[in-house]
Amino acid sequence: MTDLRDNALRSWFLGPRAENAGLLEGLVVEALRDHVFWRRNFHPEDGFAIRELDKRSEGYEDAVATLTQELLGLLAALKRDVPFFSGRYKGHMLFEQTIAGQIGYFAAMLYNPNNISAEAAPVTTRLELEVAAQLSRMVGYDPDHAWGHLTSGGTVANFEALWIARNVNYLGVAAAGAAESLGVGLEVALPGGGRAPATSLPLWELLNVENVAALDLWHALWQCAPKEDVRRALAAHSLSDVGYQDYGLMLEKRYGEALPAAVVLVASTAHYSWEKIVRALGIGANRLVHLPVDSRFRLDPDALWDQLRQFAASRTPVLACVSVCGTTEESAVDRLDRVIEVRERARRELGIAFHLHSDACYGGYSAAVTWGADGQRRSGAQIRRSTGIAWPSDDWVDAVVALEDCDSVSLDPHKLGYVPYPAGAFLLRDRRARDLVAVNPPYLTPATASAADDELFLGRYIFEGSKPGASAASVWLSHKVLPLDERGYGYLIERTAIGARRLRDGLAAADLGRFEVLVLPEPDINIVCYIVCPRSGASLTELNELNEGIYRRMSLNSETPAPEYIITRTRFQSPTYDGAVGSILERLGIPVEEWRAAGSQGLVVLRSTVMDPFLATPGPGSDHVTGFIEALARAAGHGGSQAQ
Amino acid sequence: MTDLRDNALRSWFLGPRAENAGLLEGLVVEALRDHVFWRRNFHPEDGFAIRELDKRSEGYEDAVATLTQELLGLLAALKRDVPFFSGRYKGHMLFEQTIAGQIGYFAAMLYNPNNISAEAAPVTTRLELEVAAQLSRMVGYDPDHAWGHLTSGGTVANFEALWIARNVNYLGVAAAGAAESLGVGLEVALPGGGRAPATSLPLWELLNVENVAALDLWHALWQCAPKEDVRRALAAHSLSDVGYQDYGLMLEKRYGEALPAAVVLVASTAHYSWEKIVRALGIGANRLVHLPVDSRFRLDPDALWDQLRQFAASRTPVLACVSVCGTTEESAVDRLDRVIEVRERARRELGIAFHLHSDACYGGYSAAVTWGADGQRRSGAQIRRSTGIAWPSDDWVDAVVALEDCDSVSLDPHKLGYVPYPAGAFLLRDRRARDLVAVNPPYLTPATASAADDELFLGRYIFEGSKPGASAASVWLSHKVLPLDERGYGYLIERTAIGARRLRDGLAAADLGRFEVLVLPEPDINIVCYIVCPRSGASLTELNELNEGIYRRMSLNSETPAPEYIITRTRFQSPTYDGAVGSILERLGIPVEEWRAAGSQGLVVLRSTVMDPFLATPGPGSDHVTGFIEALARAAGHGGSQAQ
């Protein structure tokens, strides 16, 4: 089986030397002509708006000349773009895209469907829902209860997660307020067990109703009174209608207490977009609480527990906790299974509940590794038989399987899904929560629309409006060719994990003359981090200068228009990396205080994302492990001096 | 000149019968091969990852078979898509895209640049900034002081506008608080004239500092103390850091007053996304104040003045006012020049200041009409000489030219820019305001990055992260071929305005047997609204049933898989359309009370967006004005009975 998959892999991409150029060109021309003849066959009696004679006119010819000339200029300019396709690119999370993703995008782009609703995209809105169901299944959700859609990228997906989380968080308050004003009695399940009338609960308990219980309560409310009355009563008690400024006053008046402002917990290594998101939502950057990570860059579950205890003691509502599956810098995968244990314990022992979101924008697709062709989960041992290496560990599998217990997951097809930008995705375990952000509640839907039509009006439930149906077609076709299991994406990502380990092992063993390479802990997926060190030792400043110099020589910039290999770098700063950096500094012989004092300079760390599946074996072409190490040695040799 | 432009127009699109198929195919193949040979020329010594022999393996062949089969399936499915390209499509704001937009997207998509930063997109980030400068110039901004970028669409662009507006609105408070804690004295310009020390101003006045004055104050603050101190002091007093929940308490403590929650003013016909936006930002849907529109669906400036007076009297801060340039339903263009007069008067007489945003998502590109090939503005009379009809009026030109006085503008290249999704744009008149939403303030930029590099790190200033560079290339190439003046987009949009009037005149004069067509007021751009009425009169319910039936017969749905022509419809509901619907109801003989009682059913209005430039003249093909009227007559004839 491995051989067949390895050969299939060779058809999935255009290839570093455009080896599959004939295949791609054939499909592109086919898709274009197919579209052309669709137009020709649509009411052939309509005649022509553009006649052959028009094409011989001066105005037409001049315009075509302009178009062609400017296109040639664009093509020339693009030659200065980054060769993501090459094994020589070892930088950001960028590689080439699957042919399926490219041709799916191109074919649908000719039709330019707008996935805001079925009326503007009868075909691709269905594909989008199909894709969302596939992704839901991959993360372990029940597609019948889950819901999802594509977004422009991870930021919008994460934004929607927290936007919905806030609405769910305040749903208990809103439903209790509405029930009171409607004069109906409703019971709600408590996190510690048992049930109580919603209208009798104090504010703290209403803010700590579990997601499913809150949605059940809300659902029950709609059964108690005419829909228009419920809608109005809810609006009078919902944060999204009332707005923060008046809501605080309202709660203080009703409950006689002003609880501390709600917090959002994230791993300290979380993407910087979370800061944007809490700022935009009005939650405030100061209410974003960063949790320490361990030496593998994973959220520390014990630290989470300590924080939750403190927040419970100070009665500070926890709006949401964000765990990361595949950090942007290191591809670290949080021990989500342990995070979920902590959440469960907090519910039982502290009586607190919160929305748990996994930011799996980078790593989400690696869940494909856990699925067999038979639709069953594979164990760690089964997967290791396929990879032939010690990856993944059983812990890793547990962590990834635990995605199924998150309230929401964001994951980007345009990252490890290998499709063209833009394609992010947002998945919700309990589809009912989407109604909390619907602007046009379905209850007001005209009777003429069927439930199926309603489902296809995506614009109602999502943050964005107009959006490319081509993106849905792209992801859909790529999933058809590369199934989300061991045959397709699972295999692809296994290869990158193997390649990343080949690169890391090669670096660890490399002889760079005056220098050696300190490799950081084994990545959870496929991003390799390393630091080049003089064998004679160096201060933090010297080390940073050396590695920054190497980075400049090995990246595409005005100084080096044609680097041999391309890498990138990050800076481990305090306090973000406090929990992770100890043993690294020790090996470097740098005192922690020196690092702390460096502030935003931090510790420069070189980074190579291995999305290239061909790196796993030396293969018939050049070996880009040995080649890279040689280039790194050359760059290091020049690194001490000023880059020219 | 008109003749040359008319011939050029015929090269700009693939054409309703794919008349330019050869041109497009040639360019597509050229772009693809150009990319292929770029790969081949990149380190030719690297050898091949995919060998010819691999292509003869079973695994490869099976995978290619799957890809081809699934693509054919996708192409077949796409045949059920909507024929936006045809003159028979008269529905939503969708048409085909310029060839330049299509080929620009395709060419760059092969490189898959990510416009989050120059490191991931060295070429297309530059194209994006160039596009932003072109659009800035088109709306009348000074590109040296303005700033802009592309977004996934109008919702995100509008969201950014209000997000920035909020930060500017509270900037006076933040800067005064920071100045106080830093112990520095700063003066600020007051809206009514004169200057005062910022720290001595009461809250109401701090919330009513004009945008430029607030940004000047902020700028001055950064000169007064070390940057890190300023940063910290500002963070302690900024809403985006502190969050709404604590900010209210903080202000009450400092200023001893809790002002009413801030409001956002929008025209009642504004897009529904504004409701999403204020909900998400935590402002609250209840604080979105809808201003009435007049009989032309334009925001009523007198009503705006009345509202502002009331808010000044109740000391309710106005966060922003949103004016619309091209409503989604009617393409109505607010009298922005008069809105600006009202704002000026409010500043002078009431001492209030607020951010003015133009939601020009639909109509923004029509500003191209106001520019001559010589880079000078054209007068109404000059433009009318080009159109040969009474459009546009001098008032319209004044309204569009007034865009230059808005603090921000959103406009969608994927609407009247005729490029593929996704392409929205956000423009800011005073570029300094972008720093208020930067997550990584430029002050913390490592010294290694030059100011030019910094400028290309778009991800820092925008809401989204990863984004398609292909979209920038698409818009850029389309602007190259169709300049943003009378030669390109100006001419294109003129043609659609002429076509819309031909359609409207045709409908007004149409003899539909038992029926006649009531046309709504002349559109400000190119969306024609109309109602089919039985000559014998009808109740509102009968009329709605008739028009809803026509809509169903003339749209693509399960009942009518192949309609002759495709239209869409909207519902004019109370109170949104209170100011607009009077004379229409009068002509229909329907009492206003009957309409109000209809609630969400409202008045069904048929709608045809004319983005098709070929409708302006009967042309060599079928005449889709007469053809459409005949089809409408047939649909109306069946309309009374149940659709089959």
Side-chain angles (χ1 to χ4, degrees):
Chain A
M1 168 139 181
T2 306
D3 281 349
L4 284 185
R5 291 188 300 177
D6 199 50
N7 287 321
L9 164 66
R10 282 163 217 281
S11 79
W12 289 342
F13 298 98
L14 175 54
R17 315 301 315 286
E19 292 92 330
N20 286 318
L23 174 62
L24 179 57
E25 184 172 317
L27 297 176
V28 163
V29 170
E30 189 70 24
L32 177 57
R33 290 189 185 157
D34 195 83
H35 177 82
V36 159
F37 291 106
W38 178 58
R39 292 196 183 192
R40 295 266 169 85
N41 283 302
F42 184 78
H43 291 278
E45 74 277 17
D46 275 0
F48 297 87
I50 304 160
R51 293 162 307 178
E52 287 304 303
L53 205 60
D54 295 329
K55 300 187 188 175
R56 279 152 187 78
S57 72
E58 190 190 339
Y60 183 95
E61 285 184 351
D62 282 359
V64 169
T66 303
L67 169 62
T68 310
Q69 193 68 57
E70 295 292 348
L71 174 63
L72 291 175
L74 174 64
L75 295 178
L78 283 169
K79 299 294 168 298
R80 295 194 308 273
D81 213 71
V82 189
F84 301 127
F85 61 86
S86 168
R88 292 173 177 272
Y89 184 75
K90 299 193 181 311
H92 291 289
M93 38 187 68
L94 275 153
F95 182 62
E96 60 171 327
Q97 299 78 58
T98 63
I99 291 179
Q102 291 176 311
I103 189 69
Y105 202 103
F106 176 69
M109 189 178 85
L110 294 167
Y111 294 77
N112 205 35
N114 177 352
N115 271 23
I116 189 172
S117 76
E119 204 176 21
V123 181
T124 48
T125 44
R126 286 183 174 83
L127 299 184
E128 180 163 345
L129 293 177
E130 211 174 305
V131 159
Q134 292 161 346
L135 293 173
S136 295
R137 229 173 275 120
M138 180 176 71
V139 302
Y141 284 172
D142 172 356
D144 288 338
H145 292 112
W147 178 77
H149 67 94
L150 298 178
T151 66
S152 66
T155 301
V156 168
N158 282 334
F159 177 80
E160 287 193 16
L162 202 49
W163 183 31
I164 287 182
R166 177 167 71 189
N167 282 288
V168 176
N169 193 245
Y170 287 100
L171 189 53
V173 175
E180 202 167 55
S181 71
L182 292 168
V184 299
L186 283 174
E187 287 205 330
V188 61
L190 301 177
R195 301 179 67 81
T199 46
S200 71
L201 287 181
L203 181 56
W204 172 253
E205 297 203 21
L206 282 172
L207 289 172
N208 281 293
V209 173
E210 283 187 292
N211 280 23
V212 171
L215 290 164
D216 285 344
L217 171 67
W218 182 66
H219 196 70
L221 181 70
W222 285 98
Q223 317 305 321
C224 291
K227 294 210 179 310
E228 189 44 39
D229 295 350
V230 175
R231 200 196 59 71
R232 209 166 334 178
L234 273 173
H237 296 88
S238 297
L239 174 61
S240 63
D241 284 275
V242 175
Y244 266 118
Q245 285 187 274
D246 287 335
Y247 207 63
L249 300 174
M250 200 179 92
L251 293 192
E252 195 164 358
K253 198 167 156 197
R254 166 64 182 81
Y255 293 97
E257 59 181 337
L259 292 177
V263 291
V264 175
L265 312 181
V266 296
S268 65
T269 47
H271 194 253
Y272 72 96
S273 63
W274 286 102
E275 195 179 322
K276 285 190 206 176
I277 292 168
V278 291
R279 286 173 183 271
L281 286 167
I283 293 169
N286 294 352
R287 305 311 286 168
L288 187 68
V289 176
H290 289 280
L291 299 169
V293 293
D294 64 18
S295 62
R296 299 293 294 275
F297 313 106
R298 301 168 183 158
L299 187 158
D300 179 349
D302 298 328
L304 172 62
W305 170 250
D306 288 343
Q307 274 290 9
L308 291 174
R309 276 206 317 188
Q310 288 175 36
F311 287 131
S314 62
R315 294 169 76 80
T316 304
V318 177
L319 216 155
C321 173
V322 178
S323 171
V324 183
C325 176
T327 57
T328 318
E329 308 295 290
E330 308 88 3
S331 75
V333 174
D334 283 350
R335 286 295 306 274
L336 187 56
D337 50 327
R338 294 204 49 212
V339 169
I340 284 163
E341 278 170 24
V342 170
R343 182 167 77 149
E344 188 54 19
R345 186 174 166 201
R347 181 187 66 74
R348 265 195 334 265
E349 297 182 19
L350 309 173
I352 70 176
F354 51 86
H355 184 103
L356 179 60
H357 172 72
S358 175
D359 178 347
C361 285
Y362 183 62
Y365 268 77
S366 66
V369 166
T370 67
W371 293 99
D374 56 0
Q376 301 299 312
R377 291 274 196 187
R378 297 201 293 168
S379 69
Q382 283 174 306
I383 306 169
R384 290 191 292 274
R385 272 199 293 281
S386 167
T387 59
I389 59 171
W391 183 88
S393 68
D394 290 344
D395 286 351
W396 186 94
V397 175
D398 289 346
V400 169
V401 168
L403 285 169
E404 65 191 32
D405 291 319
C406 286
D407 296 305
S408 56
V409 175
S410 50
L411 76 178
D412 283 353
H414 66 209
K415 292 194 175 96
L416 284 181
Y418 292 81
V419 300
Y421 298 108
F426 172 67
L427 306 175
L428 196 54
R429 193 172 51 163
D430 188 330
R431 62 186 295 119
R432 294 177 298 174
R434 69 178 185 171
D435 284 326
L436 300 178
V437 293
V439 277
N440 230 344
Y443 319 96
L444 296 178
T445 306
T448 46
S450 71
D453 287 345
D454 199 51
E455 194 62 23
L456 291 166
F457 179 19
L458 283 167
R460 171 178 293 157
Y461 304 110
I462 69 177
F463 181 64
E464 294 173 278
S466 297
K467 56 204 284 280
S471 170
S474 169
V475 181
W476 181 88
L477 192 60
S478 203
H479 287 184
K480 282 285 174 189
V481 178
L482 285 73
L484 294 165
D485 59 38
E486 59 177 330
R487 296 168 298 175
Y489 280 101
Y491 182 68
L492 180 56
I493 292 167
E494 282 177 22
R495 301 310 291 171
T496 68
I498 298 168
R501 277 145 191 84
R502 267 196 76 222
L503 178 64
R504 182 171 176 273
D505 294 347
L507 286 168
D511 178 7
L512 266 58
R514 288 187 291 127
F515 306 97
E516 60 186 341
V517 183
L518 185 149
V519 293
L520 267 53
E522 193 187 323
D524 285 334
I525 309 175
N526 53 16
I527 302 181
V528 181
C529 293
Y530 46 98
I531 301 167
V532 176
C533 325
R535 292 191 192 274
S536 53
S539 70
L540 178 62
T541 307
E542 288 163 349
L543 207 57
N544 280 350
E545 261 174 30
L546 172 65
N547 282 279
E548 186 74 16
I550 293 171
Y551 161 65
R552 265 192 279 171
R553 283 183 176 279
M554 299 187 83
S555 58
L556 201 66
N557 55 53
S558 47
E559 289 168 10
T560 47
E564 290 180 272
Y565 280 83
I566 299 173
I567 61 170
T568 182
R569 63 94 167 82
T570 186
R571 288 171 189 275
F572 285 2
Q573 298 164 338
S574 180
T576 306
Y577 283 88
D578 279 5
V581 87
S583 68
I584 302 168
L585 292 176
E586 199 176 311
R587 284 158 69 200
L588 291 167
I590 292 170
V592 174
E593 300 69 43
E594 191 179 334
W595 172 69
R596 283 229 175 82
S600 66
Q601 291 299 308
L603 171 68
V604 174
V605 173
L606 303 178
R607 255 178 84 232
S608 291
T609 307
V610 178
M611 282 179 64
D612 173 3
F614 301 116
L615 197 71
T617 47
S622 301
D623 183 5
H624 287 307
V625 171
T626 52
F628 170 64
I629 290 170
E630 288 161 22
L632 186 65
R634 280 189 289 275
H638 289 284
S641 63
Q642 196 68 11
Q644 310 263 333
Chain B
M1 169 143 183
T2 305
D3 279 352
L4 284 185
R5 291 186 301 176
D6 199 50
N7 287 321
L9 163 67
R10 282 162 216 281
S11 78
W12 287 342
F13 298 97
L14 175 54
R17 316 300 316 284
E19 292 93 328
N20 286 319
L23 173 62
L24 179 56
E25 184 173 316
L27 298 175
V28 162
V29 170
E30 188 71 22
L32 177 57
R33 292 189 184 158
D34 195 82
H35 177 82
V36 160
F37 291 106
W38 179 58
R39 293 196 182 193
R40 295 266 169 86
N41 283 301
F42 183 77
H43 290 279
E45 73 279 15
D46 275 359
F48 297 88
I50 304 160
R51 293 162 310 179
E52 286 305 301
L53 204 60
D54 294 329
K55 299 187 188 173
R56 279 151 186 81
S57 72
E58 191 190 337
Y60 183 95
E61 284 184 352
D62 282 0
V64 170
T66 303
L67 169 63
T68 311
Q69 193 68 57
E70 295 292 349
L71 174 62
L72 290 175
L74 174 65
L75 295 178
L78 284 168
K79 300 294 169 299
R80 296 193 307 272
D81 213 72
V82 189
F84 300 127
F85 62 85
S86 168
R88 291 173 178 270
Y89 184 76
K90 301 195 180 306
H92 292 290
M93 38 187 66
L94 276 154
F95 183 62
E96 60 172 328
Q97 299 78 60
T98 62
I99 290 179
Q102 291 176 312
I103 189 70
Y105 202 103
F106 176 70
M109 189 178 84
L110 293 167
Y111 295 76
N112 204 35
N114 177 352
N115 271 22
I116 189 172
S117 76
E119 205 178 18
V123 181
T124 47
T125 44
R126 285 185 174 82
L127 299 184
E128 180 163 343
L129 293 177
E130 211 175 304
V131 161
Q134 291 162 346
L135 293 173
S136 295
R137 229 172 277 120
M138 180 175 71
V139 303
Y141 285 172
D142 173 356
D144 288 338
H145 291 111
W147 177 77
H149 68 93
L150 297 178
T151 67
S152 66
T155 301
V156 169
N158 282 334
F159 177 80
E160 287 194 17
L162 202 48
W163 183 30
I164 287 182
R166 177 167 70 188
N167 282 288
V168 175
N169 193 247
Y170 287 102
L171 189 53
V173 175
E180 200 166 57
S181 70
L182 292 168
V184 298
L186 283 174
E187 288 206 329
V188 60
L190 301 177
R195 301 178 67 81
T199 47
S200 71
L201 285 182
L203 182 56
W204 172 254
E205 297 202 22
L206 282 172
L207 290 171
N208 282 291
V209 173
E210 282 186 291
N211 280 23
V212 171
L215 290 164
D216 286 344
L217 171 64
W218 182 67
H219 196 70
L221 181 69
W222 284 99
Q223 318 305 320
C224 290
K227 294 215 179 305
E228 188 45 38
D229 295 350
V230 175
R231 199 196 58 72
R232 207 165 336 178
L234 273 173
H237 297 88
S238 296
L239 174 61
S240 63
D241 284 275
V242 175
Y244 265 118
Q245 285 187 274
D246 287 334
Y247 207 64
L249 300 174
M250 199 179 94
L251 293 192
E252 194 163 1
K253 199 165 154 199
R254 165 66 181 81
Y255 294 97
E257 58 180 334
L259 292 177
V263 292
V264 175
L265 312 180
V266 297
S268 65
T269 47
H271 194 253
Y272 72 98
S273 64
W274 285 102
E275 196 180 322
K276 286 190 204 176
I277 291 168
V278 291
R279 286 174 183 270
L281 286 167
I283 293 168
N286 293 353
R287 307 309 288 169
L288 187 67
V289 176
H290 290 280
L291 299 168
V293 294
D294 65 18
S295 62
R296 299 293 294 274
F297 313 105
R298 302 166 184 160
L299 187 159
D300 178 349
D302 297 328
L304 172 63
W305 170 250
D306 288 343
Q307 274 290 9
L308 290 174
R309 275 208 314 188
Q310 287 175 36
F311 288 129
S314 62
R315 293 167 77 80
T316 303
V318 177
L319 215 155
C321 174
V322 177
S323 172
V324 184
C325 176
T327 57
T328 319
E329 309 296 288
E330 308 87 4
S331 75
V333 174
D334 283 350
R335 286 297 305 274
L336 187 56
D337 50 326
R338 292 205 48 212
V339 170
I340 283 164
E341 279 170 21
V342 170
R343 180 167 80 148
E344 188 55 19
R345 187 175 166 202
R347 181 186 68 74
R348 265 193 336 263
E349 298 182 20
L350 309 173
I352 71 176
F354 51 87
H355 185 104
L356 180 61
H357 173 72
S358 174
D359 179 347
C361 284
Y362 183 64
Y365 269 76
S366 67
V369 167
T370 67
W371 293 99
D374 57 1
Q376 300 299 312
R377 292 273 196 190
R378 297 200 293 169
S379 69
Q382 283 174 306
I383 306 168
R384 290 191 293 274
R385 270 199 293 280
S386 167
T387 60
I389 58 172
W391 183 88
S393 67
D394 290 342
D395 286 351
W396 186 95
V397 174
D398 289 345
V400 169
V401 168
L403 286 169
E404 64 190 32
D405 291 317
C406 287
D407 296 304
S408 57
V409 175
S410 51
L411 76 176
D412 284 353
H414 66 208
K415 292 194 174 97
L416 283 181
Y418 292 81
V419 300
Y421 297 107
F426 172 67
L427 306 175
L428 195 56
R429 193 173 49 166
D430 188 330
R431 60 185 297 121
R432 293 177 298 174
R434 70 177 185 171
D435 285 325
L436 301 178
V437 293
V439 278
N440 228 347
Y443 320 97
L444 296 178
T445 306
T448 48
S450 71
D453 287 344
D454 199 53
E455 194 61 24
L456 292 167
F457 180 18
L458 283 167
R460 171 177 292 156
Y461 305 110
I462 68 177
F463 181 64
E464 294 172 279
S466 295
K467 55 204 288 278
S471 170
S474 169
V475 181
W476 181 86
L477 192 59
S478 204
H479 287 183
K480 282 285 175 187
V481 178
L482 284 73
L484 293 166
D485 59 38
E486 61 178 326
R487 297 167 298 173
Y489 280 101
Y491 182 67
L492 181 56
I493 292 166
E494 282 177 22
R495 302 310 291 171
T496 69
I498 297 167
R501 277 146 191 83
R502 266 195 76 222
L503 178 64
R504 182 173 176 273
D505 294 346
L507 285 168
D511 180 5
L512 266 58
R514 289 187 291 128
F515 306 97
E516 61 187 339
V517 184
L518 183 150
V519 294
L520 267 54
E522 193 186 324
D524 285 335
I525 310 175
N526 53 17
I527 302 182
V528 181
C529 294
Y530 47 97
I531 301 166
V532 176
C533 325
R535 290 189 196 276
S536 54
S539 70
L540 179 61
T541 308
E542 289 162 348
L543 207 56
N544 281 351
E545 262 174 29
L546 172 66
N547 283 279
E548 186 73 16
I550 293 171
Y551 161 65
R552 267 194 277 170
R553 285 183 173 275
M554 301 188 83
S555 57
L556 201 65
N557 55 52
S558 48
E559 291 170 7
T560 46
E564 291 181 88
Y565 281 82
I566 299 175
I567 61 170
T568 183
R569 64 94 168 81
T570 187
R571 287 172 189 275
F572 285 1
Q573 299 164 337
S574 179
T576 306
Y577 283 88
D578 280 4
V581 87
S583 69
I584 302 168
L585 293 175
E586 198 176 313
R587 283 157 69 198
L588 292 167
I590 291 171
V592 174
E593 299 69 40
E594 191 179 335
W595 171 70
R596 285 231 174 79
S600 66
Q601 292 299 309
L603 172 68
V604 173
V605 173
L606 303 178
R607 255 176 86 232
S608 291
T609 308
V610 179
M611 281 178 64
D612 173 3
F614 301 116
L615 196 72
T617 46
S622 302
D623 184 3
H624 287 308
V625 171
T626 52
F628 171 64
I629 290 169
E630 287 161 21
L632 186 66
R634 280 189 289 276
H638 290 282
S641 61
Q642 197 71 9
Q644 312 262 338

